[in-house]
Amino acid sequence: MRFSLFILSFCILTPLSARCDSWQQALEKKKASLDLRWHTSKPFIQYDTKGNLIGIEYEIVEAFGEYVKQKYQVELGLNWIEEDDFHLILDNVKNSPVKNVFGSSAFSKTKERQRYVNFSDTYLADITVLVSSQGTPIIRNFDEIHQMLQGMQAITIKGTVYETLLLKMKDQVNVDFEISYIDSDDNVLSHISQNDKMFGFIDLPIYLMWIKEGRDLIRQNFFTVRGAGYGFIMPPSSDWNVPFSQFLADQNYKAQIDGIIAKYLGEELYLFIDGSYDREQLSTYILTKEKEIQLELIKNANLKFQKEKTYKRILVIGISLTLIFLFCIIYFFQKNKKKTELIIEQKNQIESHEIDIKQKNEQLMNRNAQLLALNEDKNNLVSILAHDLRSPLSNIQGLSGLLKDSQSSPGASDNGYLEKISEAANQMNQMIIKILDVGSLERNQNSILNEKINVNQIVLDLVTRYQPQATNKTISIEVELPDHILHLETDHMLLFLILENLLSNAVKFSPSGSTITLEALEKNEQINISVTDQGPGFTEEDKALIFNRFQKLSARPTGDETSTGLGLSIVKKYVTDLGGELWLESEKGKGTTFFVSLKKKNAEFSA
């Protein structure tokens, strides 16, 4: 009886003792195995057409096996265990009684998951974007969110970061949209692209690969989320993250890991994603990359069209030779009716192919023309609309001014109406200028002119233009200019817009009874212009954001004026275009001074 119990205990305990559960045991025995639980997540891990495992995470783990063999002389066996869905991986890893278990399926590192599983160091930036069906309008501000989401349906996979982000967005925007769930091995982008009025979150690498293939979807800039990155998961008590993190940080294997990721994402997309992870204006850089990909698609379409033309020429030559050959056959075998009919049939087939190729070429040309036209329309639409609005607006301003001047003693009510008309027209004029400036910023195109300009005159013209607004707010504008005329070789319009934005902001944010000072002076072949106000000033947080586009700061206009958050970003761009420098000095509650410094360029204009 005792002998039987001994044999039974030996059979049970021997496999358990022989198995290397922890990394420490693996180091001692120089042999171990890992159970890798996975579920399809393209391009991270999947089967190829032959049924073999491939993917970023599969090859990284294979490289890890080589690493521990080379560095620690540990023979590592890899047991890939496919799970039925994404959630089973989390459950099995979380509740695993052993330590040598990995979870692999592009797991995003989140605080919630870190409570019950152990994460390795990340190997790739984790960026998630919100996409919607083709034809969905792009959300430009939070006021448009409710309008867009009316009647739309969200698509996601249960238990994923995608679902968490949708629920979080639902709470933030306070819109009760419907959420539909799909299987974890289904493609979110396929569902969205095949249906109208659908949206959902997806990983940036998957989205960029999607549009690189020429497929259409709409990405919403307002909901780009950066996570902590992708990593492998392990049981909470596992110590295998120690060698795995060392492996990811090892410079000898870093290039190999980069090559693996670039192999599946493409080197260009991988370098973009990896490089954009710590950038502040991530949505802007993604939009730039989208445009680059679209331009590359157009370029490839043109190349394909050229190849098609070459093929067509070859085909025409081939057809010509074939026709000659046909005539020869007809001449020598004219008495053979069956063979002649066969040759004619072949000729008809070739002509049919030629027509088919011609139709495809025409379709390709039309598609190329449409893409170019859409790109041009996008760049011109804002400028055309704004330009057409300026003429009737100028008439409104002129007529209101004439009407006001023509009345020697207008009534209080009439005078108030005229003031309101004038103010509204001025505000619309400023908005149109901003729209034109935004269009210029979007295209990143400015024609810089070199003109000899009178700086003193520009300053005085600006003061004259904004004196009525300042007077209405009981603000005085002082000008400090040298006795001689300051000349500068630069673009007159850009310099005017720079100073106009600075003076407009000073009037807009200055309190009643304060003073604004404009000063221009020449120093060391530089023209330095400053605008000083006694407004609320800026905090240190404001200074870090002040030149960003659409940035609303802590200061608010003192006369209920509107502010788009664009003015200072426009000033920054135009000063840079002119080769100058822009900076400010400000303390909270003590006013602000903006400085613009420009080179005179030509010494002859200094006199």
Side-chain angles (χ1 to χ4, degrees):
M1 181 65 178
R2 292 180 179 178
F3 180 78
S4 299
L5 289 173
F6 174 80
I7 294 298
L8 180 61
S9 300
F10 180 81
C11 293
I12 294 174
L13 295 177
T14 296
L16 292 175
S17 62
R19 178 171 180 172
C20 292
D21 186 358
S22 68
W23 167 242
Q24 192 60 41
Q25 291 174 326
L27 286 174
E28 295 171 1
K29 297 188 177 182
K30 300 300 181 184
K31 187 175 183 180
S33 65
L34 286 180
D35 292 341
L36 296 118
R37 299 184 177 274
W38 68 279
H39 185 69
T40 300
S41 180
K42 301 177 182 179
F44 297 93
I45 184 165
Q46 65 197 75
Y47 286 120
D48 63 9
T49 55
K50 297 180 180 179
N52 299 317
L53 268 180
I54 59 171
I56 295 173
E57 293 190 345
Y58 174 79
E59 293 197 22
I60 287 177
V61 173
E62 291 286 328
F64 173 64
E66 297 175 6
Y67 168 77
V68 296
K69 183 177 181 181
Q70 291 289 331
K71 188 174 181 71
Y72 298 104
Q73 294 76 50
V74 174
E75 293 287 343
L76 187 61
L78 303 176
N79 304 318
W80 293 92
I81 304 170
E82 185 177 8
E83 298 286 10
D84 290 336
D85 57 47
F86 184 82
H87 312 290
L88 279 176
I89 301 175
L90 284 168
D91 292 339
N92 288 333
V93 172
K94 176 176 65 174
N95 301 318
S96 175
V98 295
K99 300 178 181 180
N100 57 330
V101 176
F102 276 33
S104 168
S105 272
F107 284 97
S108 298
K109 184 181 289 189
T110 64
K111 291 182 179 180
E112 180 182 356
R113 290 173 179 168
Q114 285 179 302
R115 294 191 187 102
Y116 53 84
V117 293
N118 194 5
F119 268 90
S120 70
D121 286 353
T122 59
Y123 62 85
L124 181 64
D126 174 15
I127 304 172
T128 308
V129 295
L130 183 70
V131 298
S132 55
S133 303
Q134 184 68 14
T136 305
I138 297 177
I139 299 175
R140 304 186 184 280
N141 55 61
F142 280 98
D143 295 334
E144 298 178 358
I145 294 177
H146 291 263
Q147 182 178 356
M148 172 198 159
L149 295 181
Q150 291 295 330
M152 293 195 71
Q153 185 181 51
I155 297 294
T156 192
I157 300 171
K158 197 166 187 64
T160 61
V161 173
Y162 305 155
E163 181 192 22
T164 302
L165 292 175
L166 279 174
L167 294 175
K168 184 177 180 180
M169 186 181 78
K170 198 172 188 179
D171 291 338
Q172 288 179 345
V173 302
N174 195 26
V175 177
D176 189 19
F177 50 81
E178 181 184 353
I179 299 178
S180 294
Y181 295 94
I182 60 175
D183 293 336
S184 57
D185 55 352
D186 281 352
N187 192 321
V188 172
L189 294 180
S190 294
H191 280 267
I192 295 175
S193 64
Q194 294 170 6
N195 297 277
D196 295 331
K197 295 185 177 181
M198 285 194 172
F199 66 97
F201 282 98
I202 196 69
D203 293 323
L204 178 61
I206 300 173
Y207 166 71
L208 290 178
M209 291 181 68
W210 181 272
I211 64 170
K212 191 173 183 181
E213 294 174 358
R215 309 189 196 184
D216 293 328
L217 276 178
I218 300 297
R219 182 182 62 82
Q220 301 294 343
N221 294 333
F222 265 68
F223 300 101
T224 300
V225 182
R226 291 182 293 184
Y230 299 115
F232 293 79
I233 60 172
M234 309 164 197
S237 61
S238 176
D239 59 352
W240 281 91
N241 63 326
V242 174
F244 199 85
S245 297
Q246 293 173 351
F247 157 68
L248 293 177
D250 193 300
Q251 293 301 316
N252 295 326
Y253 284 84
K254 184 70 169 62
Q256 183 177 353
I257 296 172
D258 291 344
I260 291 170
I261 300 174
K263 171 183 174 182
Y264 289 92
L265 297 183
E267 184 175 2
E268 181 185 9
L269 290 183
Y270 166 58
L271 292 177
F272 167 73
I273 293 168
D274 189 56
S276 67
Y277 185 65
D278 291 323
R279 296 176 184 168
E280 293 181 357
Q281 295 181 340
L282 183 57
S283 292
T284 301
Y285 286 100
I286 295 176
L287 180 61
T288 301
K289 176 53 63 177
E290 289 172 330
K291 291 181 178 178
E292 290 177 0
I293 293 175
Q294 291 167 355
L295 290 175
E296 186 65 24
L297 288 174
I298 295 174
K299 180 180 178 182
N300 291 338
N302 289 332
L303 291 175
K304 186 177 180 181
F305 175 68
Q306 293 298 326
K307 289 181 180 180
E308 292 284 353
K309 288 179 64 177
T310 303
Y311 294 152
K312 182 180 178 181
R313 291 183 188 136
I314 295 173
L315 186 58
V316 170
I317 294 173
I319 292 173
S320 301
L321 294 175
T322 303
L323 289 174
I324 295 172
F325 184 65
L326 286 173
F327 283 123
C328 293
I329 293 176
I330 293 171
Y331 177 77
F332 289 107
F333 301 97
Q334 57 182 338
K335 295 182 181 181
N336 192 332
K337 185 178 180 180
K338 289 185 179 181
K339 292 184 178 180
T340 301
E341 291 176 351
L342 178 61
I343 291 171
I344 294 174
E345 183 180 353
Q346 291 175 346
K347 175 179 174 293
N348 292 334
Q349 289 178 352
I350 292 173
E351 291 176 347
S352 176
H353 288 320
E354 182 183 11
I355 294 173
D356 184 54
I357 291 173
K358 183 178 179 181
Q359 291 175 345
K360 289 182 179 178
N361 284 339
E362 291 177 353
Q363 291 174 356
L364 186 60
M365 291 178 65
N366 291 335
R367 177 60 173 168
N368 186 33
Q370 289 173 357
L371 290 173
L372 292 173
L374 285 173
N375 190 51
E376 185 66 22
D377 289 345
K378 175 184 70 65
N379 290 334
N380 292 334
L381 179 59
V382 173
S383 294
I384 291 173
L385 291 176
H387 182 273
D388 289 346
L389 284 172
R390 298 192 76 173
S391 179
L393 181 59
S394 297
N395 290 335
I396 293 173
Q397 289 180 293
L399 291 173
S400 65
L402 290 173
L403 182 60
K404 183 178 179 181
D405 294 339
S406 65
Q407 295 184 3
S408 59
S409 57
S413 176
D414 294 339
N415 190 46
Y417 290 144
L418 290 175
E419 288 292 341
K420 290 180 180 179
I421 291 173
S422 179
E423 290 176 5
N426 286 331
Q427 288 180 0
M428 287 183 66
N429 187 45
Q430 294 301 315
M431 290 174 65
I432 290 172
I433 292 174
K434 301 301 183 188
I435 291 172
L436 289 171
D437 288 339
V438 171
S440 176
L441 288 173
E442 288 292 341
R443 294 190 298 272
N444 198 25
Q445 294 176 350
N446 280 321
S447 297
I448 308 301
L449 302 177
N450 282 324
E451 310 166 278
K452 182 179 179 181
I453 63 173
N454 185 331
V455 177
N456 303 50
Q457 188 61 50
I458 289 180
V459 172
L460 294 175
D461 287 347
L462 278 170
V463 171
T464 301
R465 174 173 293 194
Y466 280 90
Q467 189 64 59
Q469 297 181 29
T471 302
N472 288 339
K473 296 179 69 174
T474 322
I475 297 172
S476 63
I477 302 178
E478 296 182 357
V479 178
E480 297 182 7
L481 296 171
D483 295 334
H484 63 281
I485 296 176
L486 298 176
H487 284 112
L488 183 65
E489 183 185 7
T490 188
D491 190 301
H492 178 278
M493 178 58 68
L494 293 189
L495 179 59
F496 186 88
L497 291 174
I498 290 168
L499 299 182
E500 183 186 39
N501 273 289
L502 294 178
L503 181 57
S504 172
N505 277 352
V507 173
K508 186 182 298 182
F509 291 94
S510 292
S512 178
S514 63
T515 300
I516 298 172
T517 303
L518 269 74
E519 181 181 7
L521 56 86
E522 179 182 352
K523 182 178 181 182
N524 299 329
E525 294 302 314
Q526 299 275 129
I527 299 296
N528 296 330
I529 306 172
S530 63
V531 179
T532 303
D533 63 53
Q534 297 174 345
F538 296 103
T539 64
E540 293 302 319
E541 291 78 8
D542 288 340
K543 292 178 183 178
L545 304 171
I546 195 167
F547 296 118
N548 293 345
R549 294 173 59 194
F550 302 107
Q551 188 66 59
K552 299 298 183 66
L553 305 176
S554 59
R556 293 290 179 266
T558 56
D560 295 328
E561 298 97 334
T562 61
S563 175
T564 63
L566 270 172
L568 291 177
S569 66
I570 293 171
V571 170
K572 178 66 175 177
K573 183 182 187 303
Y574 287 166
V575 172
T576 302
D577 289 345
L578 296 180
E581 297 182 22
L582 172 69
W583 72 95
L584 77 155
E585 295 177 0
S586 177
E587 292 185 30
K588 184 67 175 177
K590 295 185 179 181
T592 303
T593 300
F594 284 91
F595 297 90
V596 177
S597 180
L598 299 171
K599 295 180 180 179
K600 295 189 64 174
K601 293 189 177 180
N602 290 333
E604 62 181 296
F605 295 145
S606 62

